């Protein structure tokens, strides 16, 4: 895959070599993300950070990643504050806003919208999530997290057992992650959800065709020898009504007691965040916060590394980052755990 000048719209663009290439660039970004060094390799470059759907972590992570490479960020948040609310097409918006930027990160509530936008853009576009369709950078950071966490225990993605739990129908993170897993070998997947929120059949078929073992179930029972448990929240914004979403809220919770009963002592716990901590949902209990296998915050940290790697590769500076680095002169003692 040629990254320089490319749009990053779907995980379908990646093969295993491309994934591993981005992961090795991400490894090189650790000193900058952890504030041991700083670089100005993108000094003067501008990111257009266009988020037409609510976001906290992803939006700020994109902006932080670009800032850490020395670039500047211009943001638009919310549909109502953009010209789209006045009836402007995505094509016209792209033609105009891309003239103000060197690269654009975009999130939109409608599936396929980021691809439509990219057709009018004069600069590379990175998909930050388009409806229930895809979230390629989240999938990459999830897979990167899985690789690092399993390596800590002497394991690898090839041959692992992952349990995906919760809203698998509307959860775009598990859709994109599953597509990436098709490029690896001998993965076992246990997919636990209500039948109404099951993983789309097309994705299950793709996993099976890749030679993976896929088990669909609506029951969290027995001993699950999973290496990874990936919890998702109920995507209430994708349902027809709040009342419909409420039928499933809190159905599949994970707390210390459930974790101890069903999973191995070193099963890694992941979640794309935000986790719903309200009493009626409590999908990932706070009593897991001190569990060393809870990787959700390491997972979020890895998002900055992956997005830095994608910016560097897409703008063609991945080999120049260290040439423009200097020491950090302010106090910094980032706790990485």
């Amino acid at each position: 895959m040629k990254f320089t000048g490319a749009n990053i719209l779907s995980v379908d663009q990646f093969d295993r070599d491309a994934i591993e290439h981005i992961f090795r660039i991400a490894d090189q970004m650790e000193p900058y993300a952890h504030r041991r060094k700083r670089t100005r390799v993108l000094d003067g470059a501008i990111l257009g950070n266009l988020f037409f759907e609510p976001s906290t972590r992803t939006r700020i992570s994109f902006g932080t990643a670009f800032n850490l490479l020395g670039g500047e960020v211009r943001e638009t948040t919310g549909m109502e504050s953009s010209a789209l609310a006045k009836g402007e097409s995505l094509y016209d918006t792209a033609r105009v806003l891309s003239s103000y930027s060197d690269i654009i990160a975009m999130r939109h509530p409608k599936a396929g919208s980021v691809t439509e936008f990219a057709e009018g853009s004069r600069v590379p576009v990175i998909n930050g999530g388009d409806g229930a369709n895809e979230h390629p950078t989240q999938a990459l950071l999830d897979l990167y997290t899985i690789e690092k966490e399993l390596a800590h225990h002497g394991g690898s993605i090839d041959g692992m057992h992952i349990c995906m739990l919760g809203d698998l129908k509307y959860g775009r993170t598990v859709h994109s992650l599953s597509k990436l897993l098709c490029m690896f070998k001998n993965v076992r997947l246990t997919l636990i959800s209500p039948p109404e929120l099951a993983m789309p059949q097309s994705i299950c078929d793709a996993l099976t065709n890749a030679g993976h073992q896929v088990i669909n179930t609506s029951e969290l029972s027995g001993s699950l020898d999973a290496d990874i448990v990936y919890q998702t929240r109920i995507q209430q914004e994708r349902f027809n009504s709040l009342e419909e979403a409420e039928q499933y809220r809190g159905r599949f919770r994970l707390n210390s007691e459930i974790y101890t009963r069903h999973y191995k002592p070193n099963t890694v716990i992941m979640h794309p965040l935000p986790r719903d901590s309200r009493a009626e949902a409590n999908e990932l209990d706070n009593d897991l916060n001190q569990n060393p296998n809870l990787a959700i915050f390491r997972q979020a940290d890895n998002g900055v590394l992956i997005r830095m790697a994608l910016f560097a590769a897409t703008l063609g500076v991945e080999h120049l980052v260290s040439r423009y680095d200097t020491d950090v002169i302010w106090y910094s003692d980032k706790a990485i755990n």
Side-chain angles (χ1 to χ4, degrees):
M1 177 178 175
K2 181 180 180 294
F3 281 97
T4 304
N7 297 316
I8 307 296
L9 303 176
S10 170
V11 295
D12 292 335
Q13 296 172 244
F14 289 81
D15 59 20
R16 184 158 174 170
D17 287 342
I19 292 168
E20 292 175 351
H21 177 64
I22 289 297
F23 285 4
R24 302 297 73 83
I25 299 174
D27 290 343
Q28 297 169 27
M29 298 299 172
E30 285 196 6
Y32 311 106
H34 298 163
R35 311 300 199 274
R36 295 193 295 272
K37 290 278 189 177
R38 59 193 177 111
T39 181
R40 304 296 300 173
V41 70
L42 289 184
D43 186 26
I46 295 174
L47 165 68
N49 215 22
L50 311 181
F51 274 68
F52 299 115
E53 185 179 55
S55 172
T56 303
R57 272 150 299 276
T58 303
R59 177 175 59 84
I60 294 175
S61 176
F62 269 112
T64 297
F66 206 75
N67 287 151
L68 287 171
L69 291 169
E72 301 179 17
V73 181
R74 302 289 183 268
E75 288 196 327
T76 292
T77 58
M79 195 81 71
E80 68 284 350
S81 62
S82 75
L84 294 172
K86 303 175 183 178
E88 184 174 59
S89 69
L90 284 169
Y91 180 88
D92 286 0
T93 301
R95 292 294 292 176
V96 173
L97 295 186
S98 61
S99 70
Y100 306 151
S101 308
D102 296 289
I103 192 167
I104 288 172
M106 181 180 171
R107 170 173 285 189
H108 195 283
K110 181 182 175 184
S113 55
V114 181
T115 298
E116 182 181 347
F117 180 93
E119 291 171 356
S121 178
R122 309 179 215 184
V123 300
V125 176
I126 299 180
N127 186 355
D130 59 331
N133 183 34
E134 281 214 51
H135 198 344
T137 65
Q138 179 72 45
L140 287 167
L141 77 88
D142 286 343
L143 195 66
Y144 183 63
T145 301
I146 291 170
E147 180 187 77
K148 294 181 76 170
E149 295 290 326
L150 293 183
H152 181 71
H153 298 292
S156 67
I157 298 171
D158 290 323
M160 75 166 179
H161 179 194
I162 182 170
C163 175
M164 296 182 182
L165 178 64
D167 183 353
L168 307 184
K169 177 180 180 179
Y170 296 115
R172 59 190 171 197
T173 62
V174 290
H175 298 171
S176 293
L177 176 58
S178 295
K179 290 180 180 180
L180 289 183
L181 289 176
C182 290
M183 300 169 202
F184 292 79
K185 298 177 181 178
N186 302 320
V187 177
R188 285 191 293 148
L189 298 99
T190 301
L191 308 178
I192 305 174
S193 68
E196 300 85 354
L197 299 182
M199 184 74 80
Q201 189 59 47
S202 59
I203 294 177
C204 292
D205 290 343
L207 289 164
T208 302
N209 291 337
H212 300 329
Q213 178 183 341
V214 180
I215 297 174
N216 285 281
T217 180
S218 59
E219 300 295 331
L220 179 58
S221 60
S223 176
L224 295 167
D225 64 340
D227 301 297
I228 305 286
V229 55
Y230 190 111
Q231 171 74 283
T232 67
R233 70 178 177 88
I234 297 299
Q235 304 279 310
Q236 70 177 48
E237 63 272 28
R238 313 285 176 218
F239 286 82
N240 293 324
S241 68
L242 178 60
E243 291 73 22
E244 184 182 356
E246 290 292 346
Q247 296 178 45
Y248 304 104
R249 198 181 304 282
R251 288 271 295 274
F252 291 104
R253 300 183 179 191
L254 191 59
N255 56 31
S256 286
E257 188 273 329
I258 293 171
Y259 175 83
T260 301
R261 189 193 327 156
H262 295 294
Y263 294 99
K264 298 186 298 186
N266 62 350
T267 297
V268 177
I269 305 166
M270 295 177 61
H271 189 295
L273 299 180
R275 56 174 165 170
D276 191 339
S277 296
R278 291 172 291 187
E280 63 271 24
N282 200 22
E283 62 204 19
L284 198 56
D285 200 293
N286 288 332
D287 69 4
L288 290 163
N289 284 356
Q290 303 309 312
N291 188 318
N293 298 311
L294 184 72
I296 61 175
F297 303 118
R298 296 190 292 273
Q299 191 178 348
D301 289 345
N302 288 336
V304 173
L305 298 175
I306 288 294
R307 289 170 181 128
M308 289 178 74
L310 289 170
F311 284 137
T314 303
L315 293 177
V317 298
E318 66 268 37
H319 304 301
L320 302 173
V321 176
S322 62
R323 190 180 301 180
Y324 292 87
D325 73 15
T326 58
D327 292 332
V328 169
I329 59 173
W330 59 86
Y331 170 78
S332 182
D333 185 19
K334 288 280 181 182
I336 307 301
N337 53 43

